[in-house]
């Protein structure tokens, strides 16, 4: 992430093609450009969170370095190490709490969830992933949360990505969905445990994020 102040009037790419709302499967929706109206405030809050809890490459349970660098905010944060994947109230880097969830994050996540049909969303954590060129996330299910009733809300910022939208089984052939800066994906209900992933990020430059994709992924974990 570069340190320049966001240029509110700069040439920020937006997604001009495709419907504003796209259903991926029952319970899963892409909201095109949904984060654009709040992008400047979101970006500023993101820099504050990353200053308080710096991004780092965690280790997988098998001991590999993740290609994605992560941090979190909220009352707990997503952690991976030799003991496995989990949510922890403490940031292992500092031993202290994670930064609080910025109001602009919470509001964006709640509004996106409501538009996608999930009223009353109360996420307690936001995992922030930074993908450099080539970074990826292999197909997986999100099942370390205690609450599968609540949806997952994922905000895409910076470089575009190809999101893999799989089925209930790992072997189900995934849909490939292009996500660009400002798109928000919501999955819950019958879609909550679907397999998903992100293909390796391709080279490019985004005015705010540089050669990175950043995702904000909201969950009710505790
Ligand atoms: C994304 N992240 O970064 C999606 N899931 O766009 C995830 O799906 C994810 O980064 C579970 C645990 C960590 C993650
Ligand atoms: Fe996931």
């Amino acid at each position: 992430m570069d340190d320049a102040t966001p240029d509110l009037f700069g040439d920020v790419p937006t997604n001009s093609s495709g419907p504003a709302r796209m259903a991926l499967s029952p319970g899963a929706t892409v909201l095109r450009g949904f984060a654009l109206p709040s992008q400047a405030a979101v970006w500023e809050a993101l820099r504050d969170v990353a200053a308080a809890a710096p991004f780092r490459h965690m280790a997988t349970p098998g001991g590999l370095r993740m290609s994605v660098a992560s941090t979190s905010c909220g009352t707990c944060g997503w952690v991976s190490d030799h003991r496995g994947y989990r949510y922890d109230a403490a940031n292992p880097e500092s031993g202290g709490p994670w930064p609080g969830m910025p109001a602009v994050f919470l509001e964006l996540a709640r509004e996106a969830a409501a538009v996608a049909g999930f009223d009353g969303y109360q996420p307690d954590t936001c995992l922030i992933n930074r993908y450099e060129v080539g970074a990826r996330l292999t197909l997986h299910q999100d099942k370390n949360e205690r609450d599968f009733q609540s949806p997952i809300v994922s905000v895409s910022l910076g470089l575009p990505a190809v999101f893999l939208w799989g089925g209930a089984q790992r072997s189900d052939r995934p849909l490939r969905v292009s996500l660009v800066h400002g798109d928000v994906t919501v999955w819950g209900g019958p879609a909550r445990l679907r397999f998903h992933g992100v293909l390796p990020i391709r080279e490019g430059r985004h005015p705010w994020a540089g050669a990175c994709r950043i995702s904000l992924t909201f969950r009710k974990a505790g």
Side-chain angles (χ1 to χ4, degrees):
M1 202 175 359
D2 74 43
D3 279 332
T5 302
D7 175 358
L8 302 185
F9 306 102
D11 176 27
V12 176
T14 58
N15 184 52
S16 53
S17 64
R21 264 170 95 147
M22 183 176 127
L24 297 180
S25 69
T29 310
V30 178
L31 305 172
R32 297 291 184 195
F34 194 82
L36 293 177
S38 54
Q39 61 178 336
V42 166
W43 191 254
E44 204 170 305
L46 171 59
R47 287 172 48 193
D48 292 343
V49 169
F55 285 101
R56 76 262 184 231
H57 294 268
M58 288 187 271
T60 67
L64 300 175
R65 175 186 190 263
M66 291 186 67
S67 63
V68 168
S70 309
T71 187
S72 285
C73 60
T75 56
C76 57
W78 187 82
V79 171
S80 175
D81 62 17
H82 65 281
R83 289 158 56 200
Y85 304 119
R86 65 190 175 280
Y87 290 90
D88 204 311
N91 178 354
E93 289 295 298
S94 64
W98 297 96
M101 174 123 36
V104 64
F105 278 26
L106 187 59
E107 208 163 301
L108 175 60
R110 287 178 57 81
E111 284 176 7
V115 167
F118 301 97
D119 280 322
Y121 186 41
Q122 293 206 293
D124 53 13
T125 183
C126 174
L127 167 64
I128 305 164
N129 284 329
R130 187 185 66 203
Y131 295 71
E132 277 152 32
V133 172
R136 66 196 285 240
L137 209 60
T138 55
L139 272 183
H140 66 276
Q141 292 170 294
D142 288 13
K143 47 181 191 187
N144 293 108
E145 300 75 26
R146 250 182 250 156
D147 181 349
F148 293 154
Q149 300 309 117
S150 292
I152 292 172
V153 172
S154 179
V155 178
S156 290
L157 299 171
L159 289 184
V162 177
F163 185 62
L164 296 175
W165 184 244
Q169 311 293 327
R170 186 182 296 279
S171 57
D172 293 338
R173 179 202 269 262
L175 272 179
R176 292 174 175 226
V177 184
S178 287
L179 297 178
V180 303
H181 179 82
D183 289 347
V184 178
T185 308
V186 181
W187 66 96
R192 177 62 182 73
L193 290 172
R194 286 272 197 144
F195 278 86
H196 58 279
V198 178
L199 286 184
I201 300 298
R202 297 175 49 181
E203 261 175 68
R205 270 203 89 72
H206 182 271
W208 294 3
C212 292
R213 171 184 190 243
I214 292 186
S215 68
L216 314 180
T217 314
F218 295 88
R219 301 183 180 80
K220 182 165 170 55

